Amino acid sequence: MNRAGQDISGLEEWMKSWYAPAYRTACLVLNDSTGAEEAVQEAFLRMWRFRDAMPDGEAARPWLYRVVVNSCYSWARKEWGVDGRRAPQAALESLAETSPGPDEIALVGDRAAVVRVALARLPEALRVPIVLRYYAGLSEKEIAVAIHRRPGTVKSRLHEARRLLSADATLSPFAEEEEGTQ
Amino acid sequence: MIGDDEFEALLHEAGGGYAVPTHGPDEILSAASPPTSGAKVVRGRFRFRELAMAGVSVAAVVALTAVLLTSSGGSPAVSTTASRYAKAYALAGNGLSKSVLGALVSRHSTKATTTTTTGRDIIAKGTLRLRTTRAALRRDVARLTALAAEFGGYVSAADLAETGSHPGGTIVVKVPAGSFSAFIAKAEGIAKVRSLTTSDTDVTAQVVDLGARLTALVDERGQLEVLLGRAGKISDLLSVENEVEYVQSQIEQIQGEQRTLAAQVDYSALTVSLAVPRPPHVSGPSTGFGHAWHEAVAGFVNGVKALVSVLGDLLFAVLSFIVVALIVYGLWRSVWPRVRRRIA
C-alpha cells in the first residue's frame, strides 16, 4: 500500500506537516536559506509528481529526506558549479569570516550561528549524515536509504563527523556547558 | 567528545534558528499539477501514442515498400539512412522497436519525397563590388534597397560613409534563394561593376543529418517517458528525469541549428561593396611665408648644386693638367740626356 491509495487532501496535509523539518534540514545541509527554499520546493514538486511511487508508513520519512538531499545536491551543482557533494570552500571561508567569533557569540548567546559555521566546515559527505541523524532524527539504516550508501559507511561517516565537531574549538565551550548543566 | 544528546540539542538549536517561509507549502501545492495521477497520465498518454505510432508505422512501411519497388530513382542516401535506422532498431529488440521503426521510416519516406521534389539544400552567397561616385552613393544605396524589396528581400546589414576621406561602404542584401540570380543581374546595372564572385554550398547532408539526429532524440525522449511511467524507485525516477531534461536540451539545440540553416538556405546573401575612387592629388599654388621659405630652400639647394658642379669641373681640369705635366716631364727627363750626348 502506498500513498497513491490515499486521498489527495491527506497527502497535502502530510506534505505541509513535513515542510518545516525538510526546509530546516536543507538549510543545515546547504547553509543557505534561499537555496534551501528552492531545493525543498523542487523536492516537494517531485514528490507530488511521483506520489504514486511514494512509500507509506515509516518508509515515507527516509524517502522524503532522500528527495530533499538529492534536490540540495542538484541546487548546489547548479549554483556553485561543483559536483554538488562539496560546498565551495570560498563560500565557507567567507561565511566563517563574516560570522562572529565564539567569544562574541557566547556573549550574546547565539549558539546556533556557531554550530552552523562548524557544520559548514565539514565536508558534505559528513555533514549530510550528521544533519539527518541529529536534526532529522533518522536512524543509521534510514540514513543509508536516504543517501544511498551502506549502513557501515553511514556509521563511519557519523563517527568521523562527531570526531571533527568535537575537536572544533568553537564548539568546545558548548560541550563543557552541556556537561556542566548535567 | 560531545555526546549524542548534546549533538541533538546543538543541531536542533541551529536548525530552529531558520525561519520557515509560511507561504512555502501552499505555493508548492498550488504550483503542482491538478489532482490527477501523474504516473498514470504518462502511461495512459503513451498507450494512445503507441497505438497511433503503430498505425502510422504500418502505413509508412507499406508506402516505403511501394516506393522502393516502383521507383529506383529515389535518393540512395535517404534509403540508406532509413535502412540504417531499421537495422539499428531491429537489433535493439525492445518492445517499442516496431512503432519507433515505423515512425522513423515514415519520417524518412517523407524526407525522401521532399528532397526529390524540392531539390538539394543550397546556401548561395555572393560579393558584388561596384564603383560609384560621391554624388551618386546615396542614390545607389536607395536603389539597391528598393531592388531588394522588389525581390522580396531586405538589407540585413549596412556600413556606409557618405563623407570623409573614404566615402563608400558595404551593404548586405538578403533575397529569396530563387530570385538570387535575377537580383544580381539587376544590381549589376546600378553602377559600374568592378568584380562579382558567387559561391554555392550544398548543405543537404547536414540537413538530413540534423533531421535524423532530431528524430532519434525525439524517439529517445518518448522511450524515457515510458520509463518514467514504469519506474518505481525514486532514484530511478530522478535519474530518468535528469536524462529527459538533457535530451530535451539537445532537441532544442538541434531545432535551433535547423532554423538557422533553413534561413540561410531560404535567403541568399549578396554583399555589395560600393567604392568611390579617390581623385588624383593636385597641389594648389602656395603663397605667403610658406612660399618664401620653400623658395629659399630651393634656391639654397640649387646654389649648392651649382657650386658642386663648378668646383667639380675645375678640379677635373687641374687634375688633368697635373697628369699631363707629369707625363711630359718624365718624357723630357728620359729623352733629353740622350739628345744632348748626340748633339755633343
Side-chain angles (χ1 to χ4, degrees), chain B residues 120-126 177 180 198-204 206-207 260-269:
Chain B
R120 305 188 70 80
D121 293 311
I122 307 287
I123 295 177
K125 288 181 182 175
F180 192 46
T198 57
S199 67
D200 288 345
T201 307
D202 190 343
V203 293
T204 309
Q206 201 177 339
V207 169
T260 305
L261 211 54
Q264 289 178 335
V265 169
D266 291 344
Y267 278 81
S268 304

Short mmCIF file of all heavy atoms in Angstrom, two decimals, chain B residues 120-126 177 180 198-204 206-207 260-269:
data_model
loop_
_atom_site.label_atom_id
_atom_site.label_comp_id
_atom_site.label_asym_id
_atom_site.label_seq_id
_atom_site.Cartn_x
_atom_site.Cartn_y
_atom_site.Cartn_z
N ARG B 120 18.06 19.99 -53.86
CA ARG B 120 19.00 19.95 -52.75
C ARG B 120 18.96 21.25 -51.96
O ARG B 120 18.43 22.26 -52.44
CB ARG B 120 20.40 19.70 -53.31
CG ARG B 120 20.48 18.47 -54.19
CD ARG B 120 21.88 18.14 -54.56
NE ARG B 120 22.65 17.65 -53.44
CZ ARG B 120 22.59 16.40 -52.99
NH1 ARG B 120 21.79 15.53 -53.57
NH2 ARG B 120 23.32 16.02 -51.97
N ASP B 121 19.53 21.20 -50.76
CA ASP B 121 19.57 22.38 -49.92
C ASP B 121 20.90 23.10 -50.17
O ASP B 121 21.97 22.57 -49.85
CB ASP B 121 19.45 21.98 -48.44
CG ASP B 121 18.09 21.40 -48.13
OD1 ASP B 121 17.09 22.04 -48.51
OD2 ASP B 121 18.02 20.32 -47.53
N ILE B 122 20.78 24.29 -50.77
CA ILE B 122 21.97 25.03 -51.17
C ILE B 122 21.99 26.39 -50.47
O ILE B 122 20.97 27.08 -50.42
CB ILE B 122 21.98 25.28 -52.70
CG1 ILE B 122 21.80 23.98 -53.47
CG2 ILE B 122 23.24 26.03 -53.14
CD1 ILE B 122 22.99 23.08 -53.47
N ILE B 123 23.14 26.76 -49.94
CA ILE B 123 23.32 28.12 -49.42
C ILE B 123 24.13 28.89 -50.46
O ILE B 123 25.27 28.56 -50.75
CB ILE B 123 24.08 28.11 -48.07
CG1 ILE B 123 23.25 27.40 -47.00
CG2 ILE B 123 24.38 29.54 -47.63
CD1 ILE B 123 23.95 27.30 -45.66
N ALA B 124 23.49 29.92 -51.06
CA ALA B 124 24.14 30.72 -52.09
C ALA B 124 24.58 32.06 -51.50
O ALA B 124 23.83 32.69 -50.76
CB ALA B 124 23.19 30.94 -53.26
N LYS B 125 25.80 32.44 -51.83
CA LYS B 125 26.32 33.72 -51.35
C LYS B 125 27.04 34.42 -52.50
O LYS B 125 27.41 33.76 -53.49
CB LYS B 125 27.35 33.51 -50.23
CG LYS B 125 26.77 33.05 -48.91
CD LYS B 125 27.89 32.90 -47.90
CE LYS B 125 27.34 32.40 -46.58
NZ LYS B 125 28.41 32.13 -45.62
N GLY B 126 27.24 35.71 -52.40
CA GLY B 126 27.96 36.42 -53.45
C GLY B 126 28.50 37.75 -52.96
O GLY B 126 28.07 38.26 -51.93
N ALA B 177 16.14 32.74 -52.20
CA ALA B 177 17.13 31.99 -52.97
C ALA B 177 16.74 31.87 -54.45
O ALA B 177 17.59 31.96 -55.34
CB ALA B 177 17.32 30.61 -52.35
N PHE B 180 17.84 34.95 -56.54
CA PHE B 180 19.19 35.45 -56.31
C PHE B 180 19.86 35.89 -57.62
O PHE B 180 20.39 37.00 -57.73
CB PHE B 180 20.02 34.36 -55.63
CG PHE B 180 21.33 34.84 -55.08
CD1 PHE B 180 21.41 36.01 -54.34
CD2 PHE B 180 22.50 34.13 -55.29
CE1 PHE B 180 22.63 36.45 -53.82
CE2 PHE B 180 23.71 34.57 -54.79
CZ PHE B 180 23.78 35.73 -54.05
N THR B 198 30.49 34.62 -56.75
CA THR B 198 29.38 33.91 -56.09
C THR B 198 29.87 32.51 -55.70
O THR B 198 30.82 31.99 -56.29
CB THR B 198 28.16 33.77 -57.02
OG1 THR B 198 28.57 33.09 -58.20
CG2 THR B 198 27.56 35.11 -57.37
N SER B 199 29.19 31.96 -54.69
CA SER B 199 29.54 30.59 -54.27
C SER B 199 28.30 29.87 -53.78
O SER B 199 27.40 30.50 -53.20
CB SER B 199 30.59 30.64 -53.15
OG SER B 199 30.02 31.20 -52.00
N ASP B 200 28.24 28.58 -54.03
CA ASP B 200 27.13 27.74 -53.58
C ASP B 200 27.69 26.66 -52.65
O ASP B 200 28.69 26.02 -52.97
CB ASP B 200 26.45 27.06 -54.76
CG ASP B 200 25.65 28.05 -55.58
OD1 ASP B 200 25.41 29.16 -55.07
OD2 ASP B 200 25.29 27.72 -56.73
N THR B 201 27.03 26.49 -51.51
CA THR B 201 27.43 25.44 -50.57
C THR B 201 26.27 24.46 -50.40
O THR B 201 25.17 24.87 -50.01
CB THR B 201 27.80 26.05 -49.21
OG1 THR B 201 28.76 27.08 -49.41
CG2 THR B 201 28.38 25.00 -48.28
N ASP B 202 26.53 23.21 -50.70
CA ASP B 202 25.48 22.19 -50.59
C ASP B 202 25.43 21.68 -49.16
O ASP B 202 26.40 21.09 -48.66
CB ASP B 202 25.81 21.03 -51.54
CG ASP B 202 24.64 20.06 -51.65
OD1 ASP B 202 23.75 20.11 -50.77
OD2 ASP B 202 24.60 19.27 -52.61
N VAL B 203 24.33 21.94 -48.47
CA VAL B 203 24.19 21.51 -47.07
C VAL B 203 23.12 20.42 -46.92
O VAL B 203 22.59 20.21 -45.84
CB VAL B 203 23.85 22.71 -46.15
CG1 VAL B 203 25.01 23.68 -46.06
CG2 VAL B 203 22.60 23.42 -46.61
N THR B 204 22.84 19.76 -48.01
CA THR B 204 21.80 18.71 -47.97
C THR B 204 22.15 17.64 -46.93
O THR B 204 21.29 17.24 -46.13
CB THR B 204 21.67 18.04 -49.36
OG1 THR B 204 21.53 19.07 -50.33
CG2 THR B 204 20.47 17.13 -49.40
N GLN B 206 23.99 17.91 -44.35
CA GLN B 206 23.87 18.46 -42.99
C GLN B 206 22.41 18.52 -42.54
O GLN B 206 22.09 18.21 -41.39
CB GLN B 206 24.48 19.87 -42.99
CG GLN B 206 24.89 20.37 -41.63
CD GLN B 206 25.55 21.73 -41.70
OE1 GLN B 206 26.04 22.13 -42.76
NE2 GLN B 206 25.58 22.44 -40.60
N VAL B 207 21.55 18.92 -43.47
CA VAL B 207 20.12 18.99 -43.15
C VAL B 207 19.58 17.60 -42.82
O VAL B 207 18.84 17.42 -41.84
CB VAL B 207 19.35 19.62 -44.34
CG1 VAL B 207 17.85 19.47 -44.14
CG2 VAL B 207 19.71 21.09 -44.49
N THR B 260 18.42 28.05 -38.19
CA THR B 260 19.49 28.87 -38.76
C THR B 260 19.82 28.42 -40.18
O THR B 260 19.95 29.24 -41.11
CB THR B 260 20.75 28.76 -37.88
OG1 THR B 260 20.39 29.12 -36.55
CG2 THR B 260 21.85 29.68 -38.38
N LEU B 261 19.94 27.11 -40.34
CA LEU B 261 20.29 26.57 -41.65
C LEU B 261 19.18 26.85 -42.66
O LEU B 261 19.44 27.22 -43.81
CB LEU B 261 20.51 25.05 -41.49
CG LEU B 261 21.51 24.40 -42.43
CD1 LEU B 261 22.85 25.10 -42.36
CD2 LEU B 261 21.67 22.93 -42.07
N ALA B 262 17.95 26.69 -42.22
CA ALA B 262 16.81 26.92 -43.12
C ALA B 262 16.78 28.38 -43.58
O ALA B 262 16.51 28.67 -44.75
CB ALA B 262 15.51 26.56 -42.41
N ALA B 263 17.09 29.30 -42.65
CA ALA B 263 17.09 30.71 -43.02
C ALA B 263 18.18 31.00 -44.04
O ALA B 263 17.98 31.79 -44.98
CB ALA B 263 17.31 31.57 -41.76
N GLN B 264 19.33 30.34 -43.89
CA GLN B 264 20.43 30.56 -44.84
C GLN B 264 20.12 29.96 -46.20
O GLN B 264 20.54 30.49 -47.23
CB GLN B 264 21.72 29.94 -44.29
CG GLN B 264 22.29 30.70 -43.10
CD GLN B 264 23.53 30.04 -42.55
OE1 GLN B 264 23.73 28.83 -42.70
NE2 GLN B 264 24.36 30.81 -41.88
N VAL B 265 19.40 28.84 -46.20
CA VAL B 265 19.03 28.21 -47.47
C VAL B 265 17.95 29.03 -48.17
O VAL B 265 18.00 29.25 -49.37
CB VAL B 265 18.56 26.76 -47.23
CG1 VAL B 265 17.92 26.18 -48.50
CG2 VAL B 265 19.72 25.90 -46.78
N ASP B 266 17.00 29.51 -47.39
CA ASP B 266 15.85 30.22 -47.98
C ASP B 266 16.26 31.59 -48.53
O ASP B 266 15.71 32.03 -49.53
CB ASP B 266 14.75 30.39 -46.93
CG ASP B 266 14.10 29.06 -46.59
OD1 ASP B 266 14.30 28.11 -47.37
OD2 ASP B 266 13.44 28.96 -45.53
N TYR B 267 17.18 32.24 -47.84
CA TYR B 267 17.57 33.58 -48.26
C TYR B 267 19.06 33.60 -48.61
O TYR B 267 19.90 33.26 -47.78
CB TYR B 267 17.28 34.61 -47.16
CG TYR B 267 15.83 35.05 -47.15
CD1 TYR B 267 14.87 34.27 -46.56
CD2 TYR B 267 15.44 36.24 -47.75
CE1 TYR B 267 13.53 34.65 -46.56
CE2 TYR B 267 14.12 36.64 -47.77
CZ TYR B 267 13.16 35.83 -47.17
OH TYR B 267 11.84 36.22 -47.19
N SER B 268 19.38 34.01 -49.83
CA SER B 268 20.78 34.12 -50.25
C SER B 268 21.29 35.52 -49.92
O SER B 268 20.55 36.51 -50.01
CB SER B 268 20.88 33.88 -51.75
OG SER B 268 20.33 32.62 -52.06
N ALA B 269 22.55 35.58 -49.56
CA ALA B 269 23.14 36.86 -49.13
C ALA B 269 24.08 37.39 -50.20
O ALA B 269 24.97 36.68 -50.65
CB ALA B 269 23.88 36.68 -47.82
#
